[in-house]
């Protein structure tokens, strides 16, 4: 028994005994073991059993309520803590020569990103990372509050970040050249005559900062001209370069795609006689999913339905560690802009060999799902098949056919394919209604461009039953994939969505109180609790406001190897399976299914399984990068579209409230601008976080999130995608805010205090 406790625990760790650990000991263990800080692991580490485990659960919940812990996946971490594996950007060196980095992903709570120190161990093999590079690393929290919050061990150097500036070349009055950076926070650069390269005035360029004298503007050297600013693709081009999105396929990848041979036919089932059809947007170029439904003839399942979903078998062409695979993993996903797509895979694969084209033989992975009449899934099976799509329909074609006006393409399939699909959807819908996923009503707007690439109009696409049908079929296929892999004990990448943190729940609770709605405290919230609130405000003046605030209370979805379920969809097991052409996560799941079910070549390898947690972190970061690039492109397009309308008045809605002012969204243009607090009037405005409002100190009147307002366009910077507005709508009473409560009680000033000599904001 030497060196061991009587319960078999190492003496170097927490020793199992009759005592319960203190709160400080629990926090210390969680801080030092971020990858082992689940309730079960903590109980095991301290030797807690029986009633002690109940005590532990209550203690951990109390620490969460006090804001000392928060839950991420199945683990408990200190607030603002990083996941154990994270993507870092190295930006400099510390006083001891160690590399300093910050997470490349933005935080959900918009707080400051923690500082990470990278200390390279002696004798480390391989090339050491340097300043300006992006790395995948394991991070470990440290107790020293004076230094970086974490240390890190580099797992992989992802890519070298360009030490360059993206901007537009301008010529000023004296004939000298300037570089106007895309990022407004960057300084303007001077460009000498011998450093202009092939650029012309008005070009979007990459430039490299060079040494400069003590006086005057910093100088830069043009390294590459990217195109004309104002050309049809300049907005997306800026986003691609600013967010470092890989968009040019290496020759080795293109060569591998062009020489790809036909798919392996064995072992595959021949399903070419099953009338699977694709239903996609009218402008879709690739088709990675096909669907079919039919009544279940089994007398033990009266009123039931069999739904089949077939997905393009990308794994038949893109093999682990091939050139295409490495590039796809680097990209993580396809990125969609209003004027172009940056695909994850070469077009030879995505738009040709793997696209489920009408009337052509294609390899696929299919799942056959049997549902009871009430929407419950009874069973499912996966198959590796050869299929032949019976028809290619758009959403509007399919919907119009069901509504009684089929065109020549849809008409032959109306009775045999479309009507059974809609009957299947009615059954799946019953299951969805019973499950009660989160039902936010926040329609997404799309930008339609003219031929010259400028904005034609912004519109909200009609939400058809055809969209909902395909969406629910895909959700059920994703669930089936996760369930099958779990049953086979096969490691996989889950699509997870955590429940709102306690801090966000409390903020939402405080806000709802300001409009007379209560939210239960302490209970484990489920989506139906939010749905009840959304139903209560539907059609009222608070409808948009509450939908916005509930959305902001939600966590961000991600890819993880540890499953916590999907809160928004209210599902216990969920994995992306249905879009391997455009998402690398789905390709991993396909390979896992092939290996787990013995479906032939192209299955997941041991090396892939060993790196799965790292890959999950990489593709989560790539997804957020894509979202930011898509959002920035829309902002620049709309800003350019409105640049000639300065001084005009628009109808808007308050989309964000900060101490510095208001963000106002223009619903007709899917973009927003800023109203500085200093321009709001002669009152002193106080930020009320709970009410999401700016309230005048003297009047108690102000502006709240989602308020409809009238604004004047005062300034536009198309290059940065930013707009500044002047508020025309007068402030209104704000019942329920802290300021109004204190004024009603005669308690005077509350909240933010004015600094000595500070003047109240006045309208300019």
């Amino acid at each position: 028994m030497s060196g061991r406790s009587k319960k078999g625990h190492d003496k170097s760790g927490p020793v199992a005994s009759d005592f319960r650990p203190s709160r400080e000991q629990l926090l210390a263990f969680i801080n030092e073991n971020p990858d082992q800080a689940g309730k079960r692991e903590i109980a095991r580490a301290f030797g807690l059993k029986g009633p002690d485990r109940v005590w532990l659960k209550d203690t951990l919940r109390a620490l969460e309520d006090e804001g000392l812990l928060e839950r991420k996946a199945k683990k408990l971490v200190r607030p603002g803590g990083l996941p154990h594996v994270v993507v870092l950007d190295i930006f400099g060196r510390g006083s001891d020569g160690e590399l300093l980095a910050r997470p490349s992903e933005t935080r959900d709570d918009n707080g400051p990103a923690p500082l990470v120190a990278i200390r390279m161990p002696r004798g480390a093999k391989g090339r050491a990372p340097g300043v300006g590079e992006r790395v995948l690393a394991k991070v470990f929290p440290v107790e020293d509050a004076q230094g970086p919050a974490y240390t890190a061990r580099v797992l992989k150097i992802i890519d070298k970040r360009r030490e360059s500036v993206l901007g537009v070349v301008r010529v000023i009055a004296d004939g000298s050249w300037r570089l106007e950076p895309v990022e407004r926070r960057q300084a303007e650069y001077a460009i000498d005559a011998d450093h202009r390269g092939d650029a012309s005035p008005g070009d979007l360029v990459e430039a490299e900062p060079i040494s400069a004298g003590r006086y005057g503007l910093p100088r830069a050297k043009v390294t590459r001209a990217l195109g004309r600013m104002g050309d049809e693709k300049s907005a997306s081009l800026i986003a691609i370069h600013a967010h470092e999105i890989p968009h040019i396929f290496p020759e080795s990848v293109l060569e591998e795609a062009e020489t790809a041979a036909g798919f392996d036919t064995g072992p595959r089932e021949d399903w070419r006689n099953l009338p699977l059809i694709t239903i996609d947007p009218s402008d879709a170029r690739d088709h990675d999913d096909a669907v079919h439904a039919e009544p279940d003839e089994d007398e033990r399942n009266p009123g039931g339905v069999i739904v089949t979903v077939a997905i393009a078998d990308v794994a038949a062409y893109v093999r682990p560690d091939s050139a295409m695979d490495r590039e796809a993993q680097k990209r993580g996903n396809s990125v969609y802009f209003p004027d172009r797509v940056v695909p994850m895979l070469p077009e030879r694969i995505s738009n040709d060999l793997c696209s489920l084209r009408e009337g052509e033989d294609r390899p696929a992975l299919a799942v056959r799902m049997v549902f009871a009449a009430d929407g419950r899934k009874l069973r499912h099976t996966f198959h590796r098949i050869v299929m032949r799509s019976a028809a290619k329909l758009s959403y509007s074609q399919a919907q119009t056919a069901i509504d009684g006006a089929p065109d020549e393409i849809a008409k032959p399939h109306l009775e045999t394919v479309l009507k059974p699909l809609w009957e299947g959807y009615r059954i799946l819908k019953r299951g969805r209604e019973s499950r009660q996923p989160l039902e936010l009503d926040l329609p997404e707007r799309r930008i339609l461009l003219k031929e010259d690439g400028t904005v034609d109009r912004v519109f909200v696409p009609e939400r058809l039953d055809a969209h909902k049908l395909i969406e629910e079929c895909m959700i059920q296929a994703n669930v089936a994939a996760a369930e099958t892999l779990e049953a086979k004990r096969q490691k996989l990448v889950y699509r997870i969505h955590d429940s709102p943190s306690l801090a966000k729940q409390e903020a939402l609770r405080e806000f709802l109180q300001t409009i007379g709605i209560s939210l239960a405290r302490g209970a484990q919230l489920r989506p139906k609790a939010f749905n009840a609130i959304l139903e209560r405000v539907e059609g009222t003046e608070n409808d948009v406001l509450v939908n916005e605030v509930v959305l902001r209370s939600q966590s961000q979805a991600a890819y993880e190897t540890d499953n916590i379920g999907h809160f928004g969809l209210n599902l216990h097991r969920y994995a992306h399976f249905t879009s391997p052409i455009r998402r690398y996560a789905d390709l991993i799941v396909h390979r896992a299914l092939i290996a787990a079910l013995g479906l032939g070549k192209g299955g997941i390898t041991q090396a892939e399984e060993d790196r799965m947690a790292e890959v999950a972190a990489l593709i989560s970061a790539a997804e957020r990068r894509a979202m930011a690039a898509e959002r920035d492109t829309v902002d620049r397009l709309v800003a350019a579209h409105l640049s000639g309308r300065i001084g005009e008045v628009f109808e808007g809605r308050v989309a964000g409230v900060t101490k510095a002012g208001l963000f106002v969204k223009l619903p007709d243009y899917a973009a927003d601008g800023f109203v500085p607090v200093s321009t709001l009037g002669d009152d002193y405005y106080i930020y009320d976080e709970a009410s999401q409002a700016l309230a005048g100190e003297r009047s108690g009147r102000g502006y709240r999130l989602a308020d409809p307002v009238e604004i004047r366009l005062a300034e536009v910077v198309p290059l940065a995608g930013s707009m500044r507005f002047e508020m025309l709508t007068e402030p209104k009473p704000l019942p329920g805010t802290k300021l109004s409560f204190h004024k009603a009680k005669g308690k005077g000033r509350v909240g933010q205090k004015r600094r000595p000599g500070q003047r109240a904001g006045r309208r300019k």
Side-chain angles (χ1 to χ4, degrees):
M1 298 293 291
S2 176
R4 309 283 293 181
S5 73
K6 64 180 181 179
K7 291 194 177 182
H9 290 280
D10 241 318
K11 283 187 175 180
S12 59
V15 178
S17 66
D18 294 332
F19 80 95
R20 291 173 174 174
S22 66
R23 289 157 52 98
E24 290 72 21
Q25 287 174 311
L26 288 172
L27 292 172
F29 176 81
I30 291 167
N31 200 47
E32 294 166 7
N33 301 275
D35 56 339
Q36 301 177 33
K39 185 176 65 177
R40 184 177 302 172
E41 291 83 359
I42 296 171
R44 187 182 300 120
F46 287 98
L48 302 177
K49 295 184 177 181
D52 287 343
R53 291 202 171 208
V54 177
W55 168 86
L56 176 64
K57 179 180 178 181
D58 293 340
T59 303
L60 293 175
R61 173 52 68 105
L63 291 170
E64 283 187 80
D65 290 342
E66 295 172 28
L68 297 174
L69 290 177
E70 64 183 20
R71 194 173 297 274
K72 286 191 176 181
K74 290 183 178 180
K75 304 295 189 290
L76 291 156
V77 298
R78 300 302 295 271
L82 296 178
H84 198 40
V85 178
V86 67
V87 178
L88 301 173
D89 288 332
I90 302 173
F91 66 87
R93 290 188 179 273
S95 57
D96 295 332
E98 75 276 18
L99 293 169
L100 298 178
R102 293 192 188 279
S104 63
E105 298 182 34
T106 56
R107 288 179 49 175
D108 287 347
D109 59 5
N110 297 317
L115 188 63
V116 182
I118 299 175
R119 296 185 173 90
M120 301 302 296
R122 292 182 180 179
K125 297 180 180 180
R127 180 174 74 83
V131 175
E133 291 188 300
R134 178 168 289 173
V135 299
L136 184 71
K138 279 192 174 182
V139 294
F140 307 91
V142 297
E143 292 295 335
D144 182 9
Q146 303 302 315
Y150 294 85
T151 59
R153 176 167 63 84
V154 174
L155 299 171
K156 177 183 179 182
I157 299 173
I158 300 173
D159 60 331
K160 183 172 179 61
R161 304 184 73 198
R162 298 183 306 276
E163 297 178 8
S164 62
V165 178
L166 191 68
V168 175
V169 174
R170 308 286 191 202
V171 177
I172 62 175
D174 63 3
S176 60
W177 286 35
R178 297 286 186 268
L179 179 69
E180 180 186 350
V182 169
E183 295 292 334
R184 296 189 72 181
R185 292 168 292 184
Q186 291 181 315
E188 191 175 62
Y189 289 84
I191 304 175
D192 295 332
D194 55 346
H195 289 153
R196 295 171 185 171
D198 297 330
S200 301
D203 278 356
L204 178 67
V205 302
E206 277 186 351
E208 181 181 299
I210 57 177
S211 57
R214 182 175 299 179
Y215 304 105
L217 291 175
R219 315 192 91 72
K221 174 183 178 181
V222 174
T223 56
R224 183 162 53 140
L226 303 174
R228 298 289 296 173
M229 184 61 194
D231 283 358
E232 58 179 282
K233 294 188 176 182
S234 59
S236 57
L237 191 62
I238 290 173
I240 287 168
H241 285 266
H243 292 278
E244 300 175 10
I245 293 173
H247 65 292
I248 298 174
F249 285 108
E251 285 299 322
S252 60
V253 174
L254 294 175
E255 182 179 350
E256 191 174 276
E258 289 303 319
T259 58
F263 61 90
D264 186 0
T265 57
R268 289 184 187 274
E269 300 174 42
D270 189 345
W271 285 22
R272 284 175 288 187
N273 290 328
L274 185 70
L276 290 151
I277 66 169
T278 62
I279 304 177
D280 291 293
S282 57
D283 57 353
R285 296 178 63 190
D286 55 68
H287 309 278
D288 54 7
D289 58 80
V291 292
H292 177 266
E294 60 185 336
D296 187 3
E297 301 297 336
D298 190 340
E299 60 183 17
R300 294 170 298 178
N301 185 27
V305 67
I306 300 172
V307 176
T308 300
V309 174
I311 305 298
D313 188 356
V314 177
Y317 295 100
V318 182
R319 295 299 170 85
D321 204 34
S322 62
M324 282 194 292
D325 181 56
R326 291 191 296 271
E327 183 68 15
Q329 186 182 121
K330 180 180 179 181
R331 296 181 177 219
N333 48 253
S334 298
V335 188
Y336 295 85
F337 299 104
D339 61 344
R340 72 170 85 188
V341 176
V342 178
M344 184 181 79
L345 295 167
E347 288 193 10
R348 162 77 169 153
I349 301 296
S350 60
N351 295 349
D352 184 3
L353 296 179
C354 286
S355 185
L356 305 181
R357 292 178 173 179
E358 180 180 355
E360 297 187 21
D361 293 354
R362 287 291 184 266
L365 274 180
V367 57
R368 186 175 182 271
M369 301 172 286
V370 180
F371 294 88
D374 61 2
R376 289 179 298 111
K377 186 171 61 119
L378 302 179
R379 57 190 177 276
H380 68 264
T381 54
F382 278 89
H383 310 261
R384 207 172 192 189
I385 67 169
V386 179
M387 62 161 284
R388 183 182 295 159
S389 174
K392 180 187 77 169
L393 299 178
S394 69
Y395 287 116
S396 58
Q397 272 182 301
Q399 188 67 56
T400 301
I402 285 293
D403 291 342
D407 62 13
E408 292 183 0
I409 298 175
K411 190 172 183 178
H413 307 285
L414 179 59
E415 296 295 332
T416 57
V417 180
L418 290 175
K419 286 188 176 180
L421 269 173
W422 253 257
E423 179 57 35
Y425 169 58
R426 277 191 283 272
I427 290 175
L428 294 185
K429 189 177 178 182
R430 292 172 193 149
R432 180 184 177 92
E433 290 170 350
S434 175
R435 189 176 81 241
Q436 285 206 39
L438 184 60
E439 302 283 7
L440 286 167
D441 182 19
L442 293 167
E444 292 188 12
R445 285 173 166 78
R446 290 186 58 188
I447 290 183
L448 184 66
L449 301 181
K450 301 176 184 176
E451 289 188 5
D452 63 0
T454 58
V455 175
D456 181 17
R457 62 189 176 94
V458 180
F459 66 102
V460 178
E462 186 180 2
R463 180 79 166 151
L464 305 172
D465 280 346
H467 293 102
K468 299 174 185 177
L469 181 155
I470 295 299
E471 178 183 286
E472 198 59 33
C473 286
M474 298 305 114
I475 288 173
Q476 292 299 334
N478 289 337
V479 171
E483 290 177 346
T484 294
L485 292 174
E486 272 199 6
K488 293 291 184 179
R489 300 185 181 277
Q490 168 64 54
K491 194 171 183 181
L492 71 148
V493 171
Y494 293 92
R495 180 64 168 177
I496 66 158
H497 181 222
D498 207 350
S499 58
S501 67
L502 287 177
K504 288 186 176 181
Q505 288 183 35
E506 187 58 33
L508 176 63
R509 187 174 291 108
E510 289 185 13
F511 161 74
L512 291 173
Q513 286 176 349
T514 68
I515 57 174
I517 298 176
S518 61
L519 182 66
R521 186 185 300 273
Q524 181 64 34
L525 290 180
R526 301 306 306 165
K528 66 179 181 180
F530 293 103
N531 289 340
I533 293 169
L534 297 174
E535 289 174 7
R536 180 172 172 181
V537 300
E538 186 176 0
T540 71
E541 62 177 357
N542 291 318
D543 191 348
V544 176
L545 169 61
V546 173
N547 271 272
E548 287 280 359
V549 176
V550 169
L551 174 64
R552 293 173 187 224
S553 73
Q554 302 303 306
S555 301
Q556 193 160 19
Y559 295 107
E560 290 277 0
T561 54
D562 289 332
N563 182 35
I564 61 167
H566 196 293
F567 178 82
L569 293 175
N570 201 14
L571 293 167
H572 296 297
R573 297 168 189 84
Y574 194 66
H576 274 163
F577 159 75
T578 53
S579 296
I581 286 177
R582 63 184 180 89
R583 292 188 306 226
Y584 193 77
D586 303 57
L587 180 54
I588 296 173
V589 169
H590 274 233
R591 289 172 176 164
L593 285 166
I594 291 167
L597 299 174
L599 297 178
K601 298 178 181 179
I604 199 164
T605 65
Q606 186 60 52
E608 284 185 287
E609 288 193 24
D610 293 342
R611 294 189 57 248
M612 199 173 283
E614 302 171 17
V615 173
L618 288 172
I619 59 180
S620 292
E623 179 184 44
R624 297 194 184 193
R625 175 183 67 188
M627 292 168 60
E630 292 166 0
R631 183 175 58 247
D632 288 354
T633 299
V634 170
D635 288 345
R636 289 190 175 94
L637 283 169
V638 173
H641 181 58
L642 297 178
S643 59
R645 301 176 65 178
I646 292 176
E648 288 191 29
V649 175
F650 296 87
E651 300 293 328
R653 188 175 291 276
V654 177
V657 184
T658 71
K659 293 179 181 179
L662 304 168
F663 288 95
V664 176
K665 182 177 288 292
L666 303 180
D668 292 340
Y669 296 96
D672 55 30
F674 192 62
V675 180
V677 68
S678 60
T679 66
L680 285 179
D682 58 3
D683 208 339
Y684 179 74
Y685 282 85
I686 297 171
Y687 174 51
D688 188 334
E689 184 175 7
S691 301
Q692 289 293 294
L694 279 178
E697 180 189 51
R698 293 198 313 272
S699 66
R701 304 167 72 93
Y703 306 91
R704 173 181 269 161
L705 184 70
D707 277 352
V709 293
E710 192 175 70
I711 47 88
R712 179 183 290 114
L713 183 59
E715 180 186 13
V716 178
V717 184
L719 188 59
S722 64
M723 296 182 286
R724 181 172 62 82
F725 298 143
E726 293 176 354
M727 180 65 70
L728 300 181
T729 300
E730 292 296 322
K732 68 177 185 179
L734 297 173
T737 62
K738 291 180 180 178
L739 184 65
S740 64
F741 172 78
H742 279 257
K743 290 184 74 65
K745 296 292 185 179
K747 295 186 178 181
R749 295 181 57 147
V750 294
Q752 183 185 37
K753 292 186 177 180
R754 192 177 301 160
R755 296 186 300 273
Q758 182 182 9
R759 299 175 63 190
R762 295 180 180 274
R763 188 184 299 275
K764 291 184 179 179

